Amino acid sequence: MKQYLELNKSFINGEWVEGLSSNSYNILNPYDDSVITTVKLATKEQTQEAFEAAQQAQKKWAKSSVEERKAVIRKALEYFKENKEAILETMVVETGSTYIKAEMEYQITLDELVEAEKMTEEIYTYREVPSPIEGKTNRIYRLPLGVISSISPFNFPLFLSMRTIAPAIALGNAVVHKPDLKTGLTGGSIIAAAFEYAGLPKGVLNVILTNSREIGDEMLTNPHAKLVSFTGSTEAGKHVGAVAGGALKRVALELGGNSPFVVLSDADVDRAVDAAIFGKYLHQGQICMIVNRFIVHKDLYDEFVQKFVERAKNLPYGDPRNRKNVIGPIIDQRQLEKALKVIEEAKAEGIPLALEGKRVGNILTPYVFVDVDNDSKLAQTEVFAPIAIMIKAETDEQAIELANETEYGLSSAIFTSDLEKGTELALEIDSGMTHVNDQTVNLQSNTPFGGTKESGLGRFGNPWIVEEFTVTKWVSVQHQYRKFPF
């Protein structure tokens, strides 16, 4: 980890540079609030410099060969493999991830690089379509889009940064990336170090360690940015969409969620509980896809709740550096206070608790609210914490209706013994992803990842991200003289 503490600088045009702002930011260990490192913030002018560097570098990178781009991706992958333990340690200490979560995030980050290598062949190739005009051929090309502005959050910072950066680079684009400062090393510096090691030309990837108070909307408004890739809250995403859309920039937005976990009347309760515990308490519930609402058929409700509570109350918690722990700290005091406010408001409304957790330092142990009304503020809030919400459904049909009664539509899950029925009902849930007999947190780089409604726009994953990060161009060639009517 020590090697990354020294990388507390921005990476602009191939150089590690200290921010020129008079303001600095302490990156804290969320478990004990100790200072990991201090970052001098990059200024708006430095951010503009990064976009200028990216614009110039992209012109040449766009003309790089498939083999050049593949070689860079492979070397970046090599870097991650050779530095696995240091990367995992940094993730655990900086993000509050347990080792279970850190290992999972590390692996899907590698998967993203493997998939990105396949994308290198997508640009400048073409397909032909027929023409009604004699002697004409039509070629449809994909070209690099240009400079991509990337903004990533604190919860899965390594993966959620890489899923934009790696495909963008593979497809001949340049990137200006701003990670959440709370996890600036994991979400930014490690990735910059990997591509520096890989020999990526200067300026193709720039990582800015700063915040919006320092640079305003520069990541959204800079004229060189052709697309803004943003992962974060729906509220912030709407601002990104409004500002970028006003400048006719493309956006790829993965926003909030209120994922339902539906337990139908014929489900295997024990298997459902196994999945439910993982899908609720991975990374302390701080995942956009995490299960937010458990919607359980009345015939299984009591048994499901009893078995879920028994498992939840025995989950080991504490310092995430202890590999036995599965519940670690909430990322910072602001998020912890938000979670505590949700709990106190629900209790004040008289919503019963089957399991009342507690605050232990910066850790919140599992809570389980029961008999929750789907229309309540609690059920309609993305809690982003280890707070489970149990809702009883009278019928299987009502369970699906309740699942859809939310402004969000990111991920969802259905448990049933009838796989054909489960697959049919999966199509009735209005979300970008539905998993039958599994939980809601699934990540795979060769599948379409994204949401509906207020959970976002666009799709990540190969080949869907190729469409987002390239320009489609029609080139026609008239091979013989064409006669015109005048």
Side-chain angles (χ1 to χ4, degrees):
M1 177 183 173
K2 291 180 180 178
Q3 68 198 79
Y4 299 119
L5 298 182
E6 300 171 1
L7 300 183
N8 57 350
K9 300 176 177 64
S10 292
F11 186 70
I12 301 174
N13 200 22
E15 304 293 335
W16 295 95
V17 296
E18 192 165 85
L20 297 178
S21 170
S22 59
N23 299 313
S24 59
Y25 182 90
N26 291 330
I27 298 179
L28 305 179
N29 178 335
Y31 176 67
D32 59 14
D33 290 329
S34 60
V35 177
I36 298 172
T37 189
T38 300
V39 176
K40 288 288 295 294
L41 301 186
T43 62
K44 182 175 181 179
E45 290 71 25
Q46 286 180 299
T47 306
Q48 292 170 339
E49 179 187 337
F51 275 103
E52 288 291 341
Q55 172 75 358
Q56 293 304 314
Q58 193 273 331
K59 295 175 183 178
K60 186 174 181 180
W61 183 243
K63 293 179 167 56
S64 60
S65 68
V66 170
E67 282 308 314
E68 284 178 291
R69 295 192 299 278
K70 281 187 175 183
V72 166
I73 298 293
R74 288 170 184 160
K75 287 287 286 184
L77 182 61
E78 177 183 284
Y79 178 91
F80 275 92
K81 290 179 177 178
E82 291 181 353
N83 293 278
K84 177 179 179 179
E85 290 308 315
I87 291 170
L88 289 177
E89 183 185 358
T90 305
M91 291 170 67
V92 169
V93 173
E94 185 186 37
T95 74
S97 299
T98 62
Y99 268 93
I100 294 169
K101 183 264 188 182
E103 288 271 9
M104 175 181 173
E105 183 172 0
Y106 170 83
Q107 185 55 56
I108 58 177
T109 300
L110 266 58
D111 294 344
E112 194 66 44
L113 284 163
V114 170
E115 208 63 39
E117 185 186 336
K118 301 174 186 176
M119 300 181 202
T120 56
E121 300 180 5
E122 293 290 334
I123 56 173
Y124 298 112
T125 58
Y126 65 87
R127 63 184 179 90
E128 289 194 0
V129 296
S131 173
I133 299 173
E134 188 175 354
K136 179 185 289 293
T137 58
N138 293 309
R139 293 181 175 181
I140 313 301
Y141 289 85
R142 288 192 184 280
L143 306 180
L145 182 59
V147 178
I148 291 174
S149 176
S150 170
I151 307 170
S152 65
F154 68 81
N155 56 340
F156 264 69
L158 188 66
F159 169 72
L160 293 177
S161 301
M162 188 64 84
R163 74 170 181 182
T164 290
I165 293 169
I169 290 171
L171 292 166
N173 300 296
V175 181
V176 177
H177 175 64
K178 185 179 82 65
D180 189 313
L181 269 177
K182 290 189 285 290
T183 53
L185 302 180
T186 305
S189 298
I190 289 174
I191 297 171
F195 279 103
E196 181 183 39
Y197 169 87
L200 183 69
K202 291 183 176 184
V204 177
L205 172 62
N206 303 269
V207 174
I208 306 299
L209 297 185
T210 190
N211 57 33
S212 58
R213 287 188 295 276
E214 189 70 39
I215 67 170
D217 281 341
E218 187 64 30
M219 295 294 293
L220 315 181
T221 60
N222 189 281
H224 295 315
K226 302 301 181 185
L227 178 146
V228 180
S229 177
F230 173 83
T231 302
S233 71
T234 294
E235 180 183 8
K238 286 181 177 180
H239 175 74
V240 171
V243 174
L248 295 181
K249 298 179 187 292
R250 294 191 196 180
V251 293
L253 305 175
E254 192 227 306
L255 309 177
N258 187 0
S259 299
F261 184 105
V262 176
V263 182
L264 300 181
S265 57
D266 63 350
D268 183 313
V269 172
D270 291 326
R271 291 185 178 182
V273 169
D274 284 346
I277 289 291
F278 179 84
K280 174 68 254 182
Y281 296 117
L282 178 66
H283 200 38
Q284 300 74 261
Q286 299 175 114
I287 305 173
C288 53
M289 293 179 291
I290 210 76
V291 179
N292 210 56
R293 295 170 297 148
F294 294 94
I295 302 171
V296 186
H297 190 280
K298 65 179 181 179
D299 293 349
L300 304 181
Y301 183 81
D302 291 341
E303 180 186 1
F304 180 88
V305 170
Q306 182 267 321
K307 290 181 175 179
F308 182 93
V309 167
E310 193 62 31
R311 290 281 299 280
K313 71 181 182 181
N314 290 312
L315 292 176
Y317 63 87
D319 190 336
R321 287 173 291 190
N322 182 338
R323 292 176 182 262
K324 293 180 181 179
N325 289 328
V326 298
I327 301 287
I330 301 296
I331 187 66
D332 62 14
Q333 294 298 317
R334 178 173 170 269
Q335 292 294 329
L336 181 54
E337 292 300 326
K338 284 175 65 176
L340 291 170
K341 183 179 179 182
V342 167
I343 292 166
E344 291 309 310
E345 288 182 351
K347 290 168 70 174
E349 290 176 17
I351 301 175
L353 278 161
L355 176 62
E356 183 161 12
K358 57 187 176 181
R359 176 179 179 175
V360 182
N362 293 335
I363 290 173
L364 201 60
T365 67
Y367 281 74
V368 181
F369 283 96
V370 294
D371 301 337
V372 182
D373 187 333
N374 194 57
D375 293 330
S376 67
K377 182 179 179 181
L378 176 61
Q380 293 302 319
T381 297
E382 182 184 23
V383 295
F384 229 64
I387 303 168
I389 299 166
M390 299 289 173
I391 300 168
K392 186 186 295 182
E394 292 297 314
T395 64
D396 288 346
E397 291 72 24
Q398 187 195 30
I400 300 300
E401 291 172 4
L402 293 172
N404 281 328
E405 289 175 1
T406 171
E407 63 187 11
Y408 299 105
L410 189 55
S411 189
S412 53
I414 298 174
F415 256 80
T416 176
S417 295
D418 185 338
L419 298 184
E420 184 175 346
K421 175 184 177 182
T423 303
E424 291 174 358
L425 291 176
L427 298 176
E428 294 185 18
I429 295 183
D430 189 359
S431 65
M433 303 165 282
T434 301
H435 306 288
V436 179
N437 287 355
D438 198 353
Q439 44 74 52
T440 56
V441 184
N442 277 272
L443 297 163
Q444 195 169 316
S445 297
N446 62 348
T447 59
F449 188 102
T452 61
K453 297 186 281 188
E454 294 200 359
S455 286
L457 297 169
R459 291 293 182 270
F460 294 90
N462 187 19
W464 297 272
I465 197 66
V466 176
E467 183 72 27
E468 306 281 352
F469 286 2
T470 58
V471 173
T472 302
K473 180 159 185 171
W474 170 31
V475 175
S476 76
V477 179
Q478 191 66 36
H479 295 279
Q480 62 189 62
Y481 178 72
R482 177 181 174 184
K483 294 181 180 179
F484 296 95
F486 60 89

